[in-house]
Amino acid sequence: SIFLKSKPIWKKLTSKYNGTDINGVNLTIKEIDGDKQANELESFETKYLDGKKIDGYPSIYMVKDTKFTNMMLNQILKL
C-alpha cells in the first residue's frame, strides 16, 4: 500500500524536522491513525478543517497559528 511505502520517508521527515524552527516557523509533526484514533481525527477535522472529512490516507495537513494553511511544506523548507 502507499502508506507502507511512504512510512520510511515519513519517519525520516519527522526525525529530522519535528520540533525544529525552520525559516521562522516551528514545525511540530503530529501523526493520527484514523483507524485507531477516530476521536482525535474527528477533533482535528472539526478544529482545523471546519468539519471537512479526511477521505484518504496518508494525508498531510499544515496548521499555522492554529489555522489550516495551504502553504506547502516545501515553501516552509524553501526547497
Side-chain angles (χ1 to χ4, degrees):
S1 82
I2 191 164
F3 177 73
L4 292 177
K5 289 178 183 177
S6 65
K7 194 71 171 173
I9 297 166
W10 177 255
K11 292 288 186 189
K12 186 176 180 180
L13 177 87
T14 58
S15 67
K16 184 173 182 176
Y17 293 111
N18 191 30
T20 61
D21 286 323
I22 301 169
N23 299 319
V25 176
N26 181 272
L27 189 59
T28 302
I29 299 172
K30 171 112 174 111
E31 183 174 338
I32 300 172
D33 183 332
D35 294 327
K36 297 177 183 172
Q37 299 169 288
N39 290 341
E40 226 176 311
L41 177 61
E42 186 176 337
S43 176
F44 179 87
E45 291 168 336
T46 301
K47 184 173 183 177
Y48 298 114
L49 304 178
D50 295 325
K52 176 185 174 281
K53 299 295 181 194
I54 297 172
D55 60 1
Y57 303 98
S59 298
I60 297 175
Y61 290 86
M62 298 207 38
V63 177
K64 184 176 181 191
D65 302 326
T66 71
K67 302 282 186 211
F68 170 71
T69 179
N70 287 324
M71 178 181 266
M72 300 299 292
L73 183 61
N74 61 352
Q75 290 174 301
I76 290 175
L77 300 178
K78 297 192 178 174
L79 299 175

